[in-house]
PDB file of all heavy atoms in Angstrom:
ATOM      1  N   PHE A  78      14.452 -99.682 -60.731  1.00 91.00           N
ATOM      2  CA  PHE A  78      15.428-100.681 -60.251  1.00 91.00           C
ATOM      3  C   PHE A  78      15.990-100.223 -58.818  1.00 91.00           C
ATOM      4  O   PHE A  78      16.149-101.052 -57.958  1.00 91.00           O
ATOM      5  CB  PHE A  78      16.625-100.879 -61.203  1.00 91.00           C
ATOM      6  CG  PHE A  78      16.305-101.754 -62.308  1.00 91.00           C
ATOM      7  CD1 PHE A  78      15.099-102.054 -62.770  1.00 91.00           C
ATOM      8  CD2 PHE A  78      17.395-102.500 -62.902  1.00 91.00           C
ATOM      9  CE1 PHE A  78      14.736-102.936 -63.818  1.00 91.00           C
ATOM     10  CE2 PHE A  78      17.158-103.456 -63.943  1.00 91.00           C
ATOM     11  CZ  PHE A  78      15.849-103.502 -64.440  1.00 91.00           C
ATOM     12  N   PHE A  79      16.202 -98.860 -58.725  1.00 90.00           N
ATOM     13  CA  PHE A  79      16.672 -98.393 -57.410  1.00 90.00           C
ATOM     14  C   PHE A  79      15.603 -98.699 -56.283  1.00 90.00           C
ATOM     15  O   PHE A  79      15.862 -99.269 -55.210  1.00 90.00           O
ATOM     16  CB  PHE A  79      16.797 -96.928 -57.385  1.00 90.00           C
ATOM     17  CG  PHE A  79      18.061 -96.479 -58.129  1.00 90.00           C
ATOM     18  CD1 PHE A  79      18.150 -95.241 -58.660  1.00 90.00           C
ATOM     19  CD2 PHE A  79      19.198 -97.281 -58.250  1.00 90.00           C
ATOM     20  CE1 PHE A  79      19.348 -94.750 -59.368  1.00 90.00           C
ATOM     21  CE2 PHE A  79      20.308 -96.869 -58.955  1.00 90.00           C
ATOM     22  CZ  PHE A  79      20.436 -95.623 -59.413  1.00 90.00           C
ATOM     23  N   VAL A  80      14.351 -98.449 -56.624  1.00 90.00           N
ATOM     24  CA  VAL A  80      13.274 -98.736 -55.652  1.00 90.00           C
ATOM     25  C   VAL A  80      13.180-100.210 -55.347  1.00 90.00           C
ATOM     26  O   VAL A  80      13.067-100.675 -54.097  1.00 90.00           O
ATOM     27  CB  VAL A  80      11.952 -98.154 -56.225  1.00 90.00           C
ATOM     28  CG1 VAL A  80      10.804 -98.526 -55.225  1.00 90.00           C
ATOM     29  CG2 VAL A  80      12.054 -96.674 -56.315  1.00 90.00           C
ATOM     30  N   ASN A  81      13.147-101.048 -56.367  1.00 92.00           N
ATOM     31  CA  ASN A  81      13.066-102.413 -56.221  1.00 92.00           C
ATOM     32  C   ASN A  81      14.243-103.086 -55.431  1.00 92.00           C
ATOM     33  O   ASN A  81      13.955-103.913 -54.414  1.00 92.00           O
ATOM     34  CB  ASN A  81      13.023-103.165 -57.526  1.00 92.00           C
ATOM     35  CG  ASN A  81      11.663-103.045 -58.296  1.00 92.00           C
ATOM     36  OD1 ASN A  81      10.748-102.442 -57.701  1.00 92.00           O
ATOM     37  ND2 ASN A  81      11.599-103.450 -59.542  1.00 92.00           N
ATOM     38  N   ILE A  82      15.330-102.628 -55.676  1.00 92.00           N
ATOM     39  CA  ILE A  82      16.502-103.249 -55.006  1.00 92.00           C
ATOM     40  C   ILE A  82      16.586-102.742 -53.532  1.00 92.00           C
ATOM     41  O   ILE A  82      16.810-103.572 -52.612  1.00 92.00           O
ATOM     42  CB  ILE A  82      17.878-102.845 -55.731  1.00 92.00           C
ATOM     43  CG1 ILE A  82      17.859-103.599 -57.040  1.00 92.00           C
ATOM     44  CG2 ILE A  82      18.991-103.207 -54.917  1.00 92.00           C
ATOM     45  CD1 ILE A  82      18.951-103.106 -57.954  1.00 92.00           C
ATOM     46  N   PHE A  83      16.244-101.544 -53.282  1.00 92.00           N
ATOM     47  CA  PHE A  83      16.273-101.000 -51.932  1.00 92.00           C
ATOM     48  C   PHE A  83      15.190-101.775 -51.096  1.00 92.00           C
ATOM     49  O   PHE A  83      15.583-102.243 -50.032  1.00 92.00           O
ATOM     50  CB  PHE A  83      16.017 -99.489 -51.947  1.00 92.00           C
ATOM     51  CG  PHE A  83      15.873 -98.941 -50.565  1.00 92.00           C
ATOM     52  CD1 PHE A  83      16.998 -98.624 -49.799  1.00 92.00           C
ATOM     53  CD2 PHE A  83      14.624 -98.714 -50.050  1.00 92.00           C
ATOM     54  CE1 PHE A  83      16.814 -98.088 -48.466  1.00 92.00           C
ATOM     55  CE2 PHE A  83      14.424 -98.231 -48.766  1.00 92.00           C
ATOM     56  CZ  PHE A  83      15.555 -97.912 -47.963  1.00 92.00           C
ATOM     57  N   LEU A  84      14.041-101.845 -51.614  1.00 93.00           N
ATOM     58  CA  LEU A  84      13.023-102.445 -50.868  1.00 93.00           C
ATOM     59  C   LEU A  84      13.248-103.955 -50.634  1.00 93.00           C
ATOM     60  O   LEU A  84      12.882-104.533 -49.559  1.00 93.00           O
ATOM     61  CB  LEU A  84      11.618-102.289 -51.553  1.00 93.00           C
ATOM     62  CG  LEU A  84      11.148-100.829 -51.485  1.00 93.00           C
ATOM     63  CD1 LEU A  84       9.762-100.705 -52.266  1.00 93.00           C
ATOM     64  CD2 LEU A  84      10.876-100.338 -50.022  1.00 93.00           C
ATOM     65  N   ALA A  85      13.760-104.692 -51.687  1.00 93.00           N
ATOM     66  CA  ALA A  85      14.048-106.071 -51.611  1.00 93.00           C
ATOM     67  C   ALA A  85      15.043-106.304 -50.559  1.00 93.00           C
ATOM     68  O   ALA A  85      14.999-107.302 -49.636  1.00 93.00           O
ATOM     69  CB  ALA A  85      14.489-106.583 -52.903  1.00 93.00           C
ATOM     70  N   CYS A  86      16.193-105.547 -50.482  1.00 90.00           N
ATOM     71  CA  CYS A  86      17.253-105.807 -49.502  1.00 90.00           C
ATOM     72  C   CYS A  86      16.761-105.334 -48.080  1.00 90.00           C
ATOM     73  O   CYS A  86      17.168-106.007 -47.067  1.00 90.00           O
ATOM     74  CB  CYS A  86      18.446-105.070 -49.843  1.00 90.00           C
ATOM     75  SG  CYS A  86      19.233-105.615 -51.410  1.00 90.00           S
ATOM     76  N   ALA A  87      15.971-104.363 -47.995  1.00 90.00           N
ATOM     77  CA  ALA A  87      15.415-103.927 -46.566  1.00 90.00           C
ATOM     78  C   ALA A  87      14.514-105.132 -46.175  1.00 90.00           C
ATOM     79  O   ALA A  87      14.446-105.299 -44.952  1.00 90.00           O
ATOM     80  CB  ALA A  87      14.653-102.591 -46.804  1.00 90.00           C
ATOM     81  N   SER A  88      13.732-105.720 -47.072  1.00 90.00           N
ATOM     82  CA  SER A  88      12.931-106.701 -46.751  1.00 90.00           C
ATOM     83  C   SER A  88      13.527-107.949 -46.176  1.00 90.00           C
ATOM     84  O   SER A  88      13.139-108.692 -45.233  1.00 90.00           O
ATOM     85  CB  SER A  88      11.925-107.102 -47.866  1.00 90.00           C
ATOM     86  OG  SER A  88      11.192-106.074 -48.344  1.00 90.00           O
ATOM     87  N   PHE A  89      14.772-108.239 -46.800  1.00 88.00           N
ATOM     88  CA  PHE A  89      15.593-109.338 -46.320  1.00 88.00           C
ATOM     89  C   PHE A  89      16.181-109.060 -44.901  1.00 88.00           C
ATOM     90  O   PHE A  89      16.076-109.884 -43.926  1.00 88.00           O
ATOM     91  CB  PHE A  89      16.735-109.641 -47.259  1.00 88.00           C
ATOM     92  CG  PHE A  89      17.707-110.683 -46.814  1.00 88.00           C
ATOM     93  CD1 PHE A  89      17.431-112.034 -46.915  1.00 88.00           C
ATOM     94  CD2 PHE A  89      18.919-110.274 -46.177  1.00 88.00           C
ATOM     95  CE1 PHE A  89      18.314-112.995 -46.477  1.00 88.00           C
ATOM     96  CE2 PHE A  89      19.813-111.216 -45.768  1.00 88.00           C
ATOM     97  CZ  PHE A  89      19.545-112.592 -45.830  1.00 88.00           C
ATOM     98  N   SER A  90      16.707-107.855 -44.731  1.00 84.00           N
ATOM     99  CA  SER A  90      17.432-107.609 -43.433  1.00 84.00           C
ATOM    100  C   SER A  90      16.459-107.389 -42.300  1.00 84.00           C
ATOM    101  O   SER A  90      16.748-107.579 -41.223  1.00 84.00           O
ATOM    102  CB  SER A  90      18.413-106.433 -43.641  1.00 84.00           C
ATOM    103  OG  SER A  90      17.708-105.282 -43.942  1.00 84.00           O
ATOM    104  N   ILE A  91      15.232-106.875 -42.602  1.00 86.00           N
ATOM    105  CA  ILE A  91      14.313-106.624 -41.484  1.00 86.00           C
ATOM    106  C   ILE A  91      13.814-107.904 -40.868  1.00 86.00           C
ATOM    107  O   ILE A  91      13.377-107.920 -39.634  1.00 86.00           O
ATOM    108  CB  ILE A  91      13.118-105.875 -42.013  1.00 86.00           C
ATOM    109  CG1 ILE A  91      12.326-105.247 -40.895  1.00 86.00           C
ATOM    110  CG2 ILE A  91      12.154-106.684 -42.985  1.00 86.00           C
ATOM    111  CD1 ILE A  91      11.150-104.322 -41.294  1.00 86.00           C
ATOM    112  N   VAL A  92      13.846-109.042 -41.642  1.00 87.00           N
ATOM    113  CA  VAL A  92      13.325-110.287 -41.148  1.00 87.00           C
ATOM    114  C   VAL A  92      14.267-110.989 -40.136  1.00 87.00           C
ATOM    115  O   VAL A  92      13.891-111.556 -39.112  1.00 87.00           O
ATOM    116  CB  VAL A  92      12.950-111.271 -42.281  1.00 87.00           C
ATOM    117  CG1 VAL A  92      12.906-112.689 -41.764  1.00 87.00           C
ATOM    118  CG2 VAL A  92      11.818-110.838 -42.969  1.00 87.00           C
ATOM    119  N   MET A  93      15.601-110.950 -40.349  1.00 79.00           N
ATOM    120  CA  MET A  93      16.561-111.655 -39.601  1.00 79.00           C
ATOM    121  C   MET A  93      16.529-111.535 -38.151  1.00 79.00           C
ATOM    122  O   MET A  93      16.464-112.581 -37.403  1.00 79.00           O
ATOM    123  CB  MET A  93      18.035-111.412 -40.186  1.00 79.00           C
ATOM    124  CG  MET A  93      18.077-111.731 -41.692  1.00 79.00           C
ATOM    125  SD  MET A  93      17.456-113.276 -42.139  1.00 79.00           S
ATOM    126  CE  MET A  93      18.568-114.403 -41.267  1.00 79.00           C
ATOM    127  N   PRO A  94      16.417-110.333 -37.604  1.00 77.00           N
ATOM    128  CA  PRO A  94      16.437-110.187 -36.189  1.00 77.00           C
ATOM    129  C   PRO A  94      15.149-110.769 -35.489  1.00 77.00           C
ATOM    130  O   PRO A  94      15.218-111.216 -34.351  1.00 77.00           O
ATOM    131  CB  PRO A  94      16.485-108.639 -35.895  1.00 77.00           C
ATOM    132  CG  PRO A  94      17.115-108.165 -37.120  1.00 77.00           C
ATOM    133  CD  PRO A  94      16.512-108.903 -38.215  1.00 77.00           C
ATOM    134  N   SER A  95      14.003-110.784 -36.212  1.00 81.00           N
ATOM    135  CA  SER A  95      12.768-111.217 -35.659  1.00 81.00           C
ATOM    136  C   SER A  95      12.456-112.679 -36.009  1.00 81.00           C
ATOM    137  O   SER A  95      11.437-113.174 -35.527  1.00 81.00           O
ATOM    138  CB  SER A  95      11.650-110.306 -36.056  1.00 81.00           C
ATOM    139  OG  SER A  95      11.526-110.405 -37.500  1.00 81.00           O
ATOM    140  N   LEU A  96      13.325-113.273 -36.855  1.00 85.00           N
ATOM    141  CA  LEU A  96      12.882-114.617 -37.291  1.00 85.00           C
ATOM    142  C   LEU A  96      12.921-115.732 -36.206  1.00 85.00           C
ATOM    143  O   LEU A  96      11.986-116.433 -35.981  1.00 85.00           O
ATOM    144  CB  LEU A  96      13.896-115.120 -38.345  1.00 85.00           C
ATOM    145  CG  LEU A  96      13.618-116.507 -39.016  1.00 85.00           C
ATOM    146  CD1 LEU A  96      12.232-116.489 -39.614  1.00 85.00           C
ATOM    147  CD2 LEU A  96      14.658-116.795 -40.057  1.00 85.00           C
ATOM    148  N   ALA A  97      13.997-115.690 -35.297  1.00 81.00           N
ATOM    149  CA  ALA A  97      14.044-116.623 -34.250  1.00 81.00           C
ATOM    150  C   ALA A  97      12.892-116.496 -33.261  1.00 81.00           C
ATOM    151  O   ALA A  97      12.215-117.409 -32.843  1.00 81.00           O
ATOM    152  CB  ALA A  97      15.328-116.590 -33.549  1.00 81.00           C
ATOM    153  N   PRO A  98      12.446-115.223 -32.735  1.00 85.00           N
ATOM    154  CA  PRO A  98      11.364-115.027 -31.920  1.00 85.00           C
ATOM    155  C   PRO A  98      10.084-115.425 -32.550  1.00 85.00           C
ATOM    156  O   PRO A  98       9.131-115.947 -31.873  1.00 85.00           O
ATOM    157  CB  PRO A  98      11.421-113.572 -31.625  1.00 85.00           C
ATOM    158  CG  PRO A  98      12.848-113.148 -31.786  1.00 85.00           C
ATOM    159  CD  PRO A  98      13.329-113.962 -32.945  1.00 85.00           C
ATOM    160  N   TYR A  99       9.995-115.161 -33.903  1.00 89.00           N
ATOM    161  CA  TYR A  99       8.711-115.462 -34.618  1.00 89.00           C
ATOM    162  C   TYR A  99       8.538-117.081 -34.555  1.00 89.00           C
ATOM    163  O   TYR A  99       7.409-117.604 -34.414  1.00 89.00           O
ATOM    164  CB  TYR A  99       8.854-115.035 -36.025  1.00 89.00           C
ATOM    165  CG  TYR A  99       7.509-114.980 -36.716  1.00 89.00           C
ATOM    166  CD1 TYR A  99       6.245-114.956 -36.157  1.00 89.00           C
ATOM    167  CD2 TYR A  99       7.426-115.046 -38.123  1.00 89.00           C
ATOM    168  CE1 TYR A  99       5.114-114.883 -36.819  1.00 89.00           C
ATOM    169  CE2 TYR A  99       6.239-114.994 -38.850  1.00 89.00           C
ATOM    170  CZ  TYR A  99       5.101-114.906 -38.214  1.00 89.00           C
ATOM    171  OH  TYR A  99       3.945-114.744 -38.811  1.00 89.00           O
ATOM    172  N   LEU A 100       9.599-117.800 -34.802  1.00 90.00           N
ATOM    173  CA  LEU A 100       9.488-119.206 -34.788  1.00 90.00           C
ATOM    174  C   LEU A 100       9.207-119.810 -33.361  1.00 90.00           C
ATOM    175  O   LEU A 100       8.400-120.703 -33.213  1.00 90.00           O
ATOM    176  CB  LEU A 100      10.847-119.898 -35.260  1.00 90.00           C
ATOM    177  CG  LEU A 100      11.163-119.646 -36.749  1.00 90.00           C
ATOM    178  CD1 LEU A 100      12.569-120.307 -37.038  1.00 90.00           C
ATOM    179  CD2 LEU A 100      10.080-120.329 -37.576  1.00 90.00           C
TER     180      LEU A 100
END
Side-chain angles (χ1 to χ4, degrees):
F78 277 27
F79 285 156
V80 175
N81 283 354
I82 291 171
F83 174 82
L84 290 177
C86 293
S88 298
F89 174 80
S90 61
I91 196 176
V92 165
M93 301 313 294
S95 62
L96 183 57
Y99 195 24
L100 293 177

